[in-house]
Protein backbone atom coordinates (compact mmCIF):
# COMPACT_ATOMS: atom_id res chain seq x y z
CA UNK A 1 0.00 0.00 0.00
CA UNK A 2 2.89 2.37 0.80
CA UNK A 3 4.33 1.75 -2.63
CA UNK A 4 1.09 3.03 -4.18
CA UNK A 5 1.78 6.50 -2.78
CA UNK A 6 5.28 6.48 -4.30
CA UNK A 7 6.67 8.86 -1.63
CA UNK A 8 10.29 9.85 -1.48
CA UNK A 9 12.32 10.64 1.65
CA UNK A 10 11.72 14.37 1.40
CA UNK A 11 7.97 13.73 1.26
CA UNK A 12 8.11 11.76 4.50
CA UNK A 13 10.11 14.56 6.10
CA UNK A 14 7.45 17.05 4.98
CA UNK A 15 4.65 14.88 6.40
CA UNK A 16 6.46 14.54 9.73
CA UNK A 17 7.09 18.30 9.81
CA UNK A 18 3.41 19.03 9.18
CA UNK A 19 2.36 16.62 11.93
CA UNK A 20 5.06 17.36 14.53
CA UNK A 21 5.51 21.10 13.86
CA UNK A 22 2.44 22.32 15.78
CA UNK A 23 3.08 19.87 18.62
CA UNK A 24 6.68 21.01 19.03
CA UNK A 25 5.66 24.68 18.75
CA UNK A 26 3.14 24.28 21.58
CA UNK A 27 5.71 22.51 23.74
CA UNK A 28 8.31 25.19 23.02
CA UNK A 29 5.79 27.88 23.96
CA UNK A 30 5.07 26.08 27.25
CA UNK A 31 8.79 25.95 28.05
CA UNK A 32 9.21 29.65 27.29
CA UNK A 33 6.19 30.53 29.46
CA UNK A 34 7.52 28.35 32.29
CA UNK A 35 10.86 30.16 32.33
CA UNK A 36 9.19 33.57 31.97
CA UNK A 37 6.92 32.82 34.97
CA UNK A 38 9.86 31.50 36.97
CA UNK A 39 11.86 34.66 36.31
CA UNK A 40 8.85 36.82 37.22
CA UNK A 41 8.44 34.98 40.55
CA UNK A 42 12.15 35.39 41.31
CA UNK A 43 12.00 39.08 40.45
CA UNK A 44 8.98 39.45 42.72
CA UNK A 45 10.93 37.94 45.62
CA UNK A 46 13.88 40.24 44.97
CA UNK A 47 11.69 43.34 44.61
CA UNK A 48 9.84 42.49 47.81
CA UNK A 49 13.09 42.03 49.74
CA UNK A 50 14.45 45.28 48.32
CA UNK A 51 11.32 47.27 49.13
CA UNK A 52 11.05 45.86 52.66
CA UNK A 53 14.76 45.75 53.55
CA UNK A 54 14.24 48.41 56.20
CA UNK A 55 11.09 46.65 57.52
CA UNK A 56 12.34 43.14 58.13
CA UNK A 57 9.49 42.23 60.46
CA UNK A 58 6.84 42.82 57.80
CA UNK A 59 4.87 39.81 56.61
CA UNK A 60 5.81 40.49 52.99
CA UNK A 61 9.51 40.40 53.83
CA UNK A 62 9.26 37.16 55.78
CA UNK A 63 7.11 35.52 53.07
CA UNK A 64 9.62 36.49 50.38
CA UNK A 65 12.48 35.03 52.41
CA UNK A 66 10.58 31.79 52.90
CA UNK A 67 10.02 31.44 49.13
CA UNK A 68 13.74 31.54 48.28
CA UNK A 69 14.24 27.79 48.76
CA UNK A 70 11.34 27.06 46.45
CA UNK A 71 12.05 29.50 43.63
CA UNK A 72 15.83 29.06 43.50
CA UNK A 73 15.79 25.30 44.05
CA UNK A 74 16.87 24.46 40.52
CA UNK A 75 15.25 21.50 38.81
CA UNK A 76 15.22 17.73 39.05
CA UNK A 77 16.61 15.80 36.09
CA UNK A 78 16.30 12.02 36.38
CA UNK A 79 16.26 12.24 40.17
CA UNK A 80 19.26 14.57 40.39
CA UNK A 81 18.93 18.14 41.60
CA UNK A 82 20.58 20.54 39.18
CA UNK A 83 21.29 24.15 40.15
CA UNK A 84 23.05 26.92 38.33
CA UNK A 85 25.99 28.68 39.97
CA UNK A 86 23.73 31.63 40.84
CA UNK A 87 21.02 29.41 42.32
CA UNK A 88 23.57 27.66 44.55
CA UNK A 89 25.00 30.98 45.67
CA UNK A 90 21.56 32.36 46.56
CA UNK A 91 20.53 29.21 48.44
CA UNK A 92 23.81 29.17 50.38
CA UNK A 93 23.46 32.87 51.29
CA UNK A 94 19.88 32.26 52.42
CA UNK A 95 20.91 29.27 54.57
CA UNK A 96 23.59 31.33 56.32
CA UNK A 97 21.25 34.28 56.85
CA UNK A 98 18.43 32.02 58.06
CA UNK A 99 20.82 30.35 60.49
CA UNK A 100 21.82 33.75 61.88
CA UNK A 101 18.16 34.69 62.35
CA UNK A 102 17.69 31.68 64.61
CA UNK A 103 20.53 32.62 66.95
CA UNK A 104 19.30 33.83 70.31
CA UNK A 105 21.81 36.36 71.52
CA UNK A 106 22.39 37.66 75.00
CA UNK A 107 22.72 41.36 75.78
CA UNK A 108 26.49 41.52 75.27
CA UNK A 109 26.41 39.83 71.84
CA UNK A 110 23.46 41.75 70.35
CA UNK A 111 25.55 44.27 68.40
CA UNK A 112 27.81 41.58 66.94
CA UNK A 113 24.84 39.42 65.95
CA UNK A 114 23.06 42.42 64.40
CA UNK A 115 26.13 43.32 62.30
CA UNK A 116 26.54 39.68 61.21
CA UNK A 117 22.87 39.46 60.22
CA UNK A 118 23.09 42.71 58.28
CA UNK A 119 26.16 41.50 56.36
CA UNK A 120 24.54 38.16 55.56
CA UNK A 121 21.32 39.83 54.39
CA UNK A 122 23.21 42.23 52.13
CA UNK A 123 25.17 39.25 50.77
CA UNK A 124 21.88 37.52 49.95
CA UNK A 125 20.53 40.61 48.16
CA UNK A 126 23.80 40.94 46.26
CA UNK A 127 23.72 37.30 45.09
CA UNK A 128 20.12 37.72 43.96
CA UNK A 129 20.86 40.98 42.13
CA UNK A 130 23.72 39.32 40.25
CA UNK A 131 21.56 36.34 39.27
CA UNK A 132 18.73 38.57 38.06
CA UNK A 133 20.92 40.90 36.04
CA UNK A 134 21.01 43.97 38.30
CA UNK A 135 24.26 45.86 38.78
CA UNK A 136 24.03 46.76 42.48
CA UNK A 137 27.04 46.83 44.73
CA UNK A 138 26.91 45.80 48.38
CA UNK A 139 27.30 49.34 49.71
CA UNK A 140 24.34 50.48 47.62
CA UNK A 141 22.22 47.57 48.86
CA UNK A 142 23.13 48.38 52.46
CA UNK A 143 22.70 52.16 52.40
CA UNK A 144 20.26 53.17 49.66
CA UNK A 145 16.92 52.70 51.34
CA UNK A 146 14.54 55.19 52.87
CA UNK A 147 12.72 54.72 56.13
CA UNK A 148 11.06 57.76 57.71
CA UNK A 149 11.58 58.28 61.43
CA UNK A 150 7.80 58.34 61.81
CA UNK A 151 7.66 54.69 60.75
CA UNK A 152 10.26 53.83 63.37
CA UNK A 153 8.37 55.76 66.05
CA UNK A 154 5.06 54.07 65.21
CA UNK A 155 6.65 50.59 65.22
CA UNK A 156 8.36 51.24 68.55
CA UNK A 157 5.11 52.52 70.08
CA UNK A 158 3.20 49.50 68.80
CA UNK A 159 5.88 47.17 70.11
CA UNK A 160 5.85 48.87 73.52
CA UNK A 161 2.06 48.61 73.65
CA UNK A 162 2.17 44.93 72.73
CA UNK A 163 4.85 44.20 75.34
CA UNK A 164 2.84 46.07 77.96
CA UNK A 165 -0.33 44.17 77.06
CA UNK A 166 1.56 40.86 77.07
CA UNK A 167 2.92 41.70 80.54
CA UNK A 168 -0.60 42.37 81.79
CA UNK A 169 -2.02 39.17 80.33
CA UNK A 170 0.86 36.78 81.08
CA UNK A 171 2.32 38.13 84.28
CA UNK A 172 -0.77 39.64 85.84
CA UNK A 173 0.76 43.11 85.96
CA UNK A 174 -1.59 45.85 86.90
CA UNK A 175 -2.54 48.72 84.67
CA UNK A 176 -1.34 52.01 86.15
CA UNK A 177 -4.28 54.36 86.52
CA UNK A 178 -4.17 58.01 87.54
CA UNK A 179 -7.38 59.67 88.66
CA UNK A 180 -7.40 63.40 88.24
CA UNK A 181 -10.04 65.38 90.04
CA UNK A 182 -10.46 69.03 89.40
CA UNK A 183 -11.84 70.22 92.72
CA UNK A 184 -10.52 73.75 92.43
CA UNK A 185 -12.91 74.57 89.55
CA UNK A 186 -15.98 73.33 91.41
CA UNK A 187 -14.95 75.17 94.59
CA UNK A 188 -14.43 78.42 92.72
CA UNK A 189 -17.89 78.19 91.14
CA UNK A 190 -19.56 77.70 94.50
CA UNK A 191 -17.73 80.61 96.08
CA UNK A 192 -18.44 83.07 93.28
CA UNK A 193 -20.23 86.05 94.85
CA UNK A 194 -22.27 86.80 91.76
CA UNK A 195 -23.99 83.43 91.93
CA UNK A 196 -25.15 83.92 95.54
Amino acid sequence: MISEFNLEGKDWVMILAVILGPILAVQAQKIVEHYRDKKARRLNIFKTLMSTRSERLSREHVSALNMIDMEFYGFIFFGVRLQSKHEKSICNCWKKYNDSLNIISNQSDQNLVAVTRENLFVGLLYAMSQALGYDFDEVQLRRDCYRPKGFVDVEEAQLAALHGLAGIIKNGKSIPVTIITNTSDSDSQNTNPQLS
Side-chain angles (χ1 to χ4, degrees):
M1 177 145 186
I2 294 176
S3 60
E4 292 177 12
F5 290 118
N6 198 16
L7 298 175
E8 297 177 9
K10 65 179 181 179
D11 297 327
W12 285 108
V13 170
M14 183 62 77
I15 291 170
L16 284 174
V18 169
I19 293 172
L20 294 178
I23 295 170
L24 294 176
V26 168
Q27 293 305 314
Q29 181 64 30
K30 285 182 180 180
I31 291 170
V32 168
E33 287 175 8
H34 170 74
Y35 283 105
R36 186 181 301 140
D37 291 345
K38 187 175 191 175
K39 184 172 183 178
R41 290 191 307 270
R42 289 177 173 188
L43 275 171
N44 187 44
I45 289 172
F46 179 66
K47 288 178 180 180
T48 301
L49 292 176
M50 286 291 287
S51 66
T52 59
R53 63 190 153 161
S54 63
E55 300 171 7
R56 299 204 189 150
L57 295 179
S58 72
R59 288 187 185 277
E60 296 85 8
H61 187 84
V62 174
S63 294
L65 286 173
N66 286 323
M67 288 304 295
I68 290 172
D69 283 329
M70 189 69 161
E71 294 301 333
F72 293 92
Y73 184 81
F75 66 96
I76 305 294
F77 186 72
F78 292 112
V80 178
R81 178 181 177 188
L82 300 174
Q83 279 185 307
S84 70
K85 180 180 86 170
H86 287 301
E87 290 169 336
K88 281 183 184 177
S89 174
I90 291 166
C91 287
N92 287 337
C93 288
W94 164 231
K95 286 176 189 174
K96 291 175 187 174
Y97 179 54
N98 189 19
D99 187 50
S100 77
L101 292 174
N102 292 311
I103 293 173
I104 299 172
S105 60
N106 57 28
Q107 242 3 64
S108 62
D109 294 343
Q110 278 186 337
N111 288 339
L112 178 63
V113 170
V115 169
T116 302
R117 283 180 184 161
E118 179 67 19
N119 290 336
L120 291 170
F121 178 68
V122 169
L124 172 63
L125 286 180
Y126 181 74
M128 291 180 81
S129 71
Q130 295 299 300
L132 297 170
Y134 288 96
D135 189 25
F136 293 122
D137 59 47
E138 292 188 38
V139 175
Q140 185 178 14
L141 292 169
R142 184 184 319 277
R143 302 277 181 224
D144 288 351
C145 63
Y146 173 64
R147 186 169 189 216
K149 184 176 180 330
F151 283 10
V152 175
D153 293 344
V154 167
E155 285 179 6
E156 287 176 357
Q158 288 173 339
L159 193 59
L162 287 173
H163 282 299
L165 186 59
I168 291 168
I169 293 171
K170 287 182 181 178
N171 303 330
K173 289 185 178 178
S174 61
I175 301 173
V177 177
T178 304
I179 300 174
I180 301 174
T181 59
N182 199 352
T183 57
S184 61
D185 285 346
S186 62
D187 290 342
S188 65
Q189 287 179 354
N190 289 338
T191 58
N192 191 341
Q194 293 177 349
L195 294 175
S196 359

